Every structure is written in structure tokens, then in C-alpha cells.
Amino acid sequence: MFLKRSQTIVVLVVFGMCLACSLSVGAQQSFTSFDKIEQAIARTLPEWILLDRWPSRFPQYNYISYRWQVRKNEVHVWMVEEQNAEDAARTFYEIYEFVPHLANRPPPTQLLIGDKCYILESLKGRMDLLLKKENLVVRISGGDALSGQIAPRDAIISFAQQIASAIPSNRTLNTSVVDKKTPSHHEKAVEALRRRQYQEAIEEFKQAISLEGDSAESHHGLGLAYLQVGDKTNARNSFKEAVRLKPDWPQAHFDLGQTYYELGEYATAANSFEEAVRLKPDFFEALLSLGKTYEHASEHAKAVEVLQKAVLLQPDNIDARNFLGTALILTGQPQDAVTVLQEAARLSPQSALIQANLGRAYKLTGKFQESLTALLQSLRLSPQDPVAHNWLGQTYELLEQKQEALTAYKRAIELKADYAEAYYNLGVLYLILGDRRQAEEECIALKKLNSDLADALSTKIAQVLPP
């Protein structure tokens, strides 16, 4: 079963940002701190294997990340460099806005509490460890959210100790390698993007491309800036240039795919996401987006395949589980959908959408009472959801509670006047109740919305209640 997974330890090491971004074409900040940590881990924890080493994904942040593994445990180390821990923490909060799986959780407000090590239990089966030293802030999160087994504390603490010991006390950045000359247009653009001054960033990136060289990084940064001002067409064109200049850059393919997706060009979006995953098989965000795109294209079996991989990479990601549950329903695997969505509901009990999808999956497995409970919970959380009301009507019908079903269908139509499926279900229910006139009225309304459903209802009316 795809739910099997290894324990994963996630380490967020935040040093903050340098004055120059990793994408800058001019002189850059030294990465000696990163190298020291990498060497310290290799020297003191030789049993851990370095699997991946990723450069910065966002031009406004200068960071690097690693992935180590030993047996079934993994460690992800994320490092950003800054002048002090306070600035580093502010950068950490900013990064939360850019990384989807981090944005699902509230920011760790404990980051700036003293300079000691804190161990928190933020989720069942997960251990969080926070450490601050000089201008170093470390967050380590590890454990198995499914089994409830906490990851080995010794592994987490060892990494924290090695990371901290690699940074001398009273450490200062090596600024001697920073070029003091006037910043380039690319550097100005990166800084403007970091400050969220997007129009300025657009102009500076254009100048960089025109005067400093046709670089993939500048086109990519320009695409990000265009997205922030809502110009999806120019964003797409910029990302296409970035891909042309640097075809082996997974992030550029991903951002191009996201832009195609937002433009409604799903087939082309799928091609871009597929290429991003081909270049980087464990690219979680690309897998998630590819699964959503396949669903839009009604390629539900493909959606299941890639979303299962996404869930294996991040088992406690709510979006991945919810999309996978929907895809499993659409491929005729409702029991597997129930398993996936039950865990999603446990991780996010206040999600109306997950409760609604769980109710739908229960209904398809014949567990009508469980379906009713989940759908009612969904509507307590989100009373204005017409889809949940429609599914509630179907469940009431299966429980032989026809008057309650009528009320649910009518409410769905009140909330969404063009909800064709609800009109059809209401018309069929009137037929069951022997009310031909009301069934015909629903058929008339349905003809304006969906001719195929209207013809199907008209045929039922003629068969069930002849005039």
C-alpha cells in the first residue's frame, strides 16, 4: 500500500540572507559557513549519506539545502545566511509565504525565545527542536505522523550539535569577498523583489537582460515579478526564456507549468510539470501540481500515481492527501480514498473540504451513516458549500430520508443557481415521490444549464410517470 513510508526529519537552519542573492551575476557572499557544516557532518556522522544538495530556488533568498540519509531516516537541512539571528528569523517568516508545505502550518513563534534548545510536541508523533546560537537559528522537526513513533532524538540532537559547533562563537560574516562596487541591475532587481517592490524589480530585470546578459536567472526573476503583479502572459514568456536558456533547471519548468495552469492551459502545464519531475523526481510541489493538472484533464489514474508519490514524500501534507483522495474516488477506489482522507481529517479536523470528500467516499463504500456524519460536520464548518449540500441530499436519499434530501438539494440550488447536478437530483427525487409536475419544472430549468442532463431527466419522467 502506498501509505508505507520512512521516518523523515526536517531541519530548517536559518542564517538569513546575504546582501547579494545566489542568482546575482556580480560578486557574491562566500558560502564558507555552508561548507563548514557539510564538512562537519561528513566528519562526525560518517554513517549519514549526503543524497542531495540544492541551490537557492528563489532569487530573493540566498540559501542552500541538503538531504542526508541513514537507513530509513532522512534529514533535510535548510540554510540561509544573514547578519544576525533576528534578521534570520524575519527571513524565516518570509520564506513561509513561498513554500507551500510550510505555509500549511503556523509560524514557529518560539524561534526568538532565548538562546537555549527547546523541544516541543507540535503534532502527534512529531518532535520539534529549536536552537539559537549567535546568528544561527535551527528548527528541527522529525517523526512519523502516521504511526505516532517519534524519530530518534539522538539523530536530531546530533545534527543540531554538529551544526551549532561548526559556527564559532561571536562569529561575523566574511565580508571581504563582497564587491563594494555599484550593484548590478540584476542585484538591484533581486533586492527589489525581496522588498516586494515588483514594478521596480521588473524594470531592473529588463535592464539586466538588456545590458548585462541574457541569463536564465534574470528571466526567471522577471517571471516571478510579473506573477506578483498579475501579468501571467508576460510571466509565462519570461519563464519560457529561462527554460530555453537553462533546460535542466527544474524550478524554471515548475514555475512555467504553474503559469500555464493559471492560464487554463492544462495540457501544456502538465508537460512542464512532467519535465520538472523528470529532472528532480522528489520535487514535491511539482508532483502535487502535476496531480492536480491530471485531474483537470480527467486523467485520474495518472493523478493517483503522482499524488501517491507526493504523499510518500510528505505524508502530513493536507493538500496532497485531499487531492489523492479525490483522485482515488474518481478511479473507483473509494475504500482507499477513505483511508487517505481519514488521515487527512485527523491531521486537519477543521477542514470542511476534507470532511466533504470523506463523506463522499464513505457514501461510495456503502457507509451511509458515516457519510452523513462527515457531511454534516463539513457543513457545520462551511454552511455555504453547495456541493456538500448536494452530496448530503444523495446520502439522505440512500438513508430513505427523502424530505431531508429535498431540503438539501433545494439548499444547494439556492447557493448555486446554475448547479445542474443538483437540479437533476431534485427532479429525480420528485419522480420517486410521484410529483410529475415538480419534476417537469426541474427539467425545464435544467435545459438552460445542461442539455444532456435535461434529456436524461426527461427520459426518466416519460418512463416513470407517463402522462
Side-chain angles (χ1 to χ4, degrees):
M1 180 69 178
F2 66 89
L3 291 174
K4 293 181 179 178
R5 54 166 291 220
S6 63
Q7 292 180 335
T8 301
I9 306 167
V10 180
V11 185
L12 299 182
V13 184
V14 183
F15 291 93
M17 294 183 298
C18 296
L19 296 177
C21 170
S22 64
L23 296 178
S24 299
V25 295
Q28 299 179 7
Q29 177 68 43
S30 169
F31 289 141
T32 55
S33 299
F34 303 161
D35 295 337
K36 285 181 180 179
I37 290 175
E38 182 179 347
Q39 293 165 8
I41 297 297
R43 183 176 62 256
T44 58
L45 301 173
E47 69 275 17
W48 289 80
I49 300 171
L50 179 60
L51 298 179
D52 292 294
R53 189 176 194 269
W54 295 293
S56 175
R57 289 175 47 199
F58 304 110
Q60 62 268 53
Y61 298 112
N62 185 18
Y63 70 83
I64 192 167
S65 58
Y66 301 89
R67 182 163 67 103
W68 277 276
Q69 183 183 65
V70 62
R71 294 179 296 279
K72 293 185 177 181
N73 293 316
E74 286 189 5
V75 170
H76 292 255
V77 180
W78 185 354
M79 293 182 282
V80 187
E81 199 158 27
E82 182 60 279
Q83 296 289 343
N84 55 62
E86 287 70 23
D87 288 345
R90 280 192 290 272
T91 299
F92 180 82
Y93 290 122
E94 289 185 19
I95 290 176
Y96 259 76
E97 299 179 14
F98 285 87
V99 183
H101 74 275
L102 294 181
N104 290 333
R105 304 177 186 170
T109 54
Q110 300 88 346
L111 269 177
L112 296 182
I113 299 178
D115 58 358
K116 297 182 180 179
C117 181
Y118 294 83
I119 295 180
L120 311 171
E121 300 294 339
S122 61
L123 292 170
K124 181 180 178 183
R126 296 189 68 84
M127 185 182 77
D128 283 354
L129 181 148
L130 303 177
L131 171 67
K132 174 183 173 185
K133 177 182 177 182
E134 301 299 329
N135 63 332
L136 173 67
V137 178
V138 183
R139 175 176 174 166
I140 306 175
S141 177
D144 190 330
L146 293 179
S147 69
Q149 294 180 349
I150 294 176
R153 291 172 182 254
D154 289 346
I156 296 174
I157 294 171
S158 292
F159 263 83
Q161 290 173 337
Q162 298 308 320
I163 290 168
S165 64
I167 307 301
S169 297
N170 302 316
R171 174 184 171 275
T172 59
L173 292 176
N174 177 14
T175 57
S176 61
V177 299
V178 178
D179 195 337
K180 300 299 183 180
K181 69 181 181 180
T182 302
S184 67
H185 286 291
H186 181 96
E187 291 167 330
K188 290 178 181 179
V190 167
E191 178 62 19
L193 192 60
R194 187 188 70 80
R195 296 194 313 267
R196 304 182 185 183
Q197 296 174 341
Y198 302 121
Q199 288 294 348
E200 180 183 340
I202 288 170
E203 295 307 315
E204 291 293 345
F205 276 126
K206 287 180 177 178
Q207 289 293 312
I209 292 167
S210 174
L211 301 175
E212 298 169 358
D214 202 24
S215 73
E217 289 78 8
S218 288
H219 281 288
H220 182 258
L222 181 58
L224 292 176
Y226 274 132
L227 278 183
Q228 292 295 332
V229 299
D231 190 344
K232 297 173 185 176
T233 300
N234 274 322
R236 176 196 59 196
N237 295 338
S238 296
F239 290 137
K240 286 175 70 175
E241 279 300 297
V243 165
R244 181 183 67 82
L245 292 166
K246 197 171 181 179
D248 59 349
W249 189 5
Q251 186 64 38
H253 286 282
F254 171 76
D255 289 324
L256 177 58
Q258 289 285 75
T259 310
Y260 277 127
Y261 183 90
E262 292 182 17
L263 288 168
E265 302 178 35
Y266 300 120
T268 314
N271 292 336
S272 293
F273 292 137
E274 287 169 350
E275 183 63 12
V277 171
R278 186 189 70 80
L279 292 166
K280 183 180 175 183
D282 60 351
F283 195 161
F284 172 80
E285 291 84 1
L287 286 166
L288 186 61
S289 295
L290 181 57
K292 290 164 56 181
T293 305
Y294 281 148
E295 284 200 25
H296 268 289
S298 297
E299 297 187 71
H300 305 304
K302 288 185 176 181
V304 167
E305 182 181 355
V306 297
L307 290 168
Q308 284 176 341
K309 294 177 182 177
V311 169
L312 285 172
L313 286 171
Q314 293 189 22
D316 57 352
N317 184 278
I318 306 306
D319 288 339
R321 285 188 170 275
N322 188 48
F323 290 131
L324 176 56
T326 301
L328 287 166
I329 288 171
L330 294 172
T331 54
Q333 303 175 71
Q335 187 54 60
D336 286 342
V338 166
T339 302
V340 171
L341 292 167
Q342 281 177 331
E343 179 60 20
R346 187 189 70 79
L347 292 168
S348 183
Q350 299 304 308
S351 171
L353 180 59
I354 290 172
Q355 291 291 339
N357 284 331
L358 181 57
R360 182 187 182 192
Y362 275 134
K363 176 174 67 71
L364 293 171
T365 62
K367 296 181 179 180
F368 305 136
Q369 194 59 51
E370 289 87 345
S371 173
L372 181 64
T373 300
L375 289 167
L376 289 174
Q377 173 63 7
S378 173
L379 288 168
R380 277 192 287 270
L381 295 166
S382 181
Q384 308 302 311
D385 182 357
V387 175
H389 281 286
N390 183 54
W391 291 345
L392 179 64
Q394 294 173 327
T395 301
Y396 274 133
E397 277 199 71
L398 293 166
L399 289 169
E400 299 295 329
Q401 299 180 39
K402 294 182 174 57
Q403 290 304 316
E404 289 83 354
L406 275 177
T407 300
Y409 291 140
K410 289 178 180 178
R411 182 58 177 153
I413 293 169
E414 287 176 9
L415 293 168
K416 183 175 170 58
D418 61 349
Y419 197 172
E421 185 181 340
Y423 279 102
Y424 176 82
N425 290 336
L426 182 57
V428 171
L429 182 53
Y430 276 130
L431 279 180
I432 294 172
L433 294 172
D435 192 335
R436 179 188 180 90
R437 183 182 62 82
Q438 286 290 347
E440 288 177 338
E441 287 188 9
E442 302 308 323
C443 189
I444 292 170
L446 190 54
K447 284 180 180 179
K448 302 175 183 178
L449 303 173
N450 187 311
S451 59
D452 290 338
L453 285 179
D455 290 343
L457 179 56
S458 180
T459 300
K460 283 183 177 291
I461 293 172
Q463 293 174 341
V464 176
L465 292 176

